[in-house]
Amino acid sequence: MRRLEAFGRSEAGGVAAVFAAMGFVLFGMTALGIELARANRVKSIIQNAGDAAAIAGARELSMAGADSQIIANIANGSVKRFVEANSESLPSVSSDTQITTTPLEVRVKVSAELDLPFGAVFGRNKIALTSESVARVVGQPNLCVLGLDGAAPATVWLGGTSIVTGKNCSVFSNSIHAGGLASSGSGVMTASTICSAGGISGSLANFRPKALTDCPTFKDPLSDRAPPPAGGCNHLMKFVIGGTATLKPGVYCGGLNIQGGARVTLEPGEYIIRDGTLRVGSRAELHGNGVGFYFDGPFSTLNFGSDATIVLRAPTTGPMAGLLFFTDRAQPEGRVNIINSDNARVLVGTIYMPNAKFVIDASKTVGDLSEYTAIVARNVEFRRGTVVLNADYGLTDVPVPSGIKGAGQPVALYH
């Protein structure tokens, strides 16, 4: 009997000990869950603080003559303000900001030491948390291609075997679509920076350097440019077929059609193509220094045929200064302007088609003899051929419109 009673007491004590141990384990697990949740919340706060600070610093860095110490002060101050706005009980936070020039970026490291109220359970009273954020200035000094459509797939499209080279200039697609920058085939696009506000469809190997995604959208740099003034018609459905001709600036209602081996020289000035097409084909040639074309009305388009020869330089003064082609902003979406010419090597100036599609579909080289060429259009397609977009602004007296040279320099969170 005594042995049974002793055994009962021993058994009860063992059960109590087991329950005590289990309680301690459950307490430890609960405490661990609380600490992990708190650590994750703090980690998220400091990561977001670092991201915001890096972007703020990179925006300052994109400004000409930005001072490194000022940038660091801006970034570190941004961390402090973000933490204060998002937590009342976050432990002391420190941040360190580094600026590099190759590539042009701001790197922000944020550190926090978190007290552990249940640290005794784990034999540890504090835990160190860190985050690192990098924002890069993705814009380069100059703009060679900007696709303005903010929602469409393939706002900038590289097709077939196209070879597109932007020399000391950058390519941007404003589309937030998953395929806002697109490629197909074996074409290659090379530029200082290639950037999509959305995503990329097609092979990343088609873009050199690697195209960046989730970039900020790029404001239309020419949105404030007014069209040239235009009066009544000077010409109605003008045709030049064969021979040699010199044309004067004016309003060409119904379009201007140059065919049959004609060689046409344009006097300097503004050429308004109203409700028609500027069409050059059938071995014809079009030459002009100091000329700008404004496409007025819903049906005005550009079409340079495959056997046309094109040599054009934009005006140096006047309402079209620096603009080679400018399409009516009121045109319905979807108008297509196309260069098929295998001899359009001189196109000096800016091609501005804010609500239209611009297409290059040539079997030979386009633009390589131009001092500079910039393309700003709703949609841009490179279907075939080799396209060279230079930015040698100092080699020509054709002015560069505001926003093309040293354009914007947007920033993107890189890491």
Side-chain angles (χ1 to χ4, degrees):
M1 180 63 74
R2 289 195 183 99
R3 288 182 179 178
L4 280 175
E5 289 176 355
F7 176 78
R9 286 194 300 271
S10 174
E11 185 73 10
V15 170
V18 169
F19 273 105
M22 289 178 62
F24 183 79
V25 170
L26 289 173
F27 172 77
M29 292 177 64
T30 301
L32 178 61
I34 293 171
E35 298 295 6
L36 287 175
R38 184 164 176 256
N40 286 336
R41 184 177 68 83
V42 172
K43 175 70 173 178
S44 177
I45 290 172
I46 66 172
Q47 183 67 63
N48 291 337
D51 291 350
I55 289 173
R59 284 175 177 157
E60 183 69 21
L61 181 61
S62 71
M63 306 295 183
D67 181 85
S68 294
Q69 187 56 53
I70 292 175
I71 293 168
N73 292 341
I74 288 172
N76 295 331
S78 176
V79 169
K80 184 175 184 296
R81 288 190 299 274
F82 188 97
V83 169
E84 290 174 349
N86 286 274
S87 176
E88 296 180 358
S89 58
L90 196 61
S92 60
V93 174
S94 63
S95 59
D96 178 63
T97 299
Q98 301 294 325
I99 294 96
T100 63
T101 56
T102 308
L104 201 59
E105 65 185 23
V106 175
R107 187 178 299 266
V108 179
K109 184 176 181 180
V110 183
S111 303
E113 193 172 65
L114 183 63
D115 292 326
L116 301 177
F118 300 105
V121 177
F122 316 111
R124 188 174 182 182
N125 295 321
K126 296 180 181 295
I127 184 172
L129 298 172
T130 61
S131 72
E132 188 169 27
S133 305
V134 180
R136 181 172 294 179
V137 180
V138 298
Q140 292 296 316
N142 312 310
L143 178 67
C144 50
V145 176
L146 172 61
L148 295 171
D149 194 323
T155 287
V156 176
W157 183 70
L158 177 72
T161 57
S162 295
I163 305 297
V164 179
T165 302
K167 295 186 175 181
N168 190 31
C169 56
S170 297
V171 175
F172 294 94
S173 168
N174 269 356
S175 177
I176 60 173
H177 190 279
L181 175 66
S183 67
S184 65
S186 58
V188 175
M189 176 180 284
T190 305
S192 298
T193 301
I194 303 171
C195 207
S196 173
I200 299 170
S201 65
S203 173
L204 291 176
N206 296 127
F207 303 103
R208 303 173 185 174
K210 178 183 176 182
L212 301 174
T213 60
D214 300 316
C215 296
T217 56
F218 203 111
K219 182 181 181 295
D220 178 355
L222 299 168
S223 60
D224 294 333
R225 285 294 293 262
C233 300
N234 300 113
H235 305 274
L236 182 61
M237 299 185 68
K238 178 70 174 180
F239 280 80
V240 181
I241 301 176
T244 301
T246 299
L247 299 181
K248 295 180 180 296
V251 180
Y252 288 75
C253 293
L256 171 59
N257 203 322
I258 303 170
Q259 304 289 331
R263 178 184 171 91
V264 173
T265 300
L266 303 175
E267 293 186 357
E270 288 81 42
Y271 290 76
I272 313 299
I273 308 299
R274 179 174 292 164
D275 293 326
T277 299
L278 171 62
R279 190 183 303 274
V280 184
S282 300
R283 304 179 311 283
E285 298 184 20
L286 181 63
H287 298 258
N289 282 325
V291 298
F293 294 89
Y294 180 71
F295 296 85
D296 186 25
F299 305 109
S300 298
T301 57
L302 166 72
N303 190 310
F304 292 159
S306 61
D307 52 0
T309 295
I310 309 296
V311 179
L312 297 173
R313 290 181 170 86
T316 58
T317 60
M320 289 285 288
L323 296 182
L324 191 57
F325 306 124
F326 182 176
T327 61
D328 190 344
R329 292 187 179 93
Q331 282 188 344
E333 296 175 19
R335 293 287 179 262
V336 177
N337 302 276
I338 188 165
I339 293 179
N340 291 124
S341 171
D342 289 337
N343 193 9
R345 302 177 69 184
V346 180
L347 296 167
V348 181
T350 300
I351 297 167
Y352 182 45
M353 300 181 174
N355 212 34
K357 178 182 290 187
F358 179 64
V359 176
I360 295 181
D361 187 5
S363 61
K364 295 185 179 179
T365 303
V366 173
D368 62 315
L369 299 182
S370 308
E371 290 84 2
Y372 91 87
T373 307
I375 302 169
V376 179
R378 185 177 182 86
N379 308 94
V380 182
E381 290 188 3
F382 300 101
R383 294 180 182 174
R384 279 189 310 152
T386 298
V387 180
V388 179
L389 302 170
N390 293 314
D392 297 322
Y393 306 129
L395 300 181
T396 178
D397 57 354
V398 175
V400 185
S402 177
I404 300 298
K405 182 180 180 180
Q409 294 188 271
V411 302
L413 201 62
Y414 189 71
H415 170 68

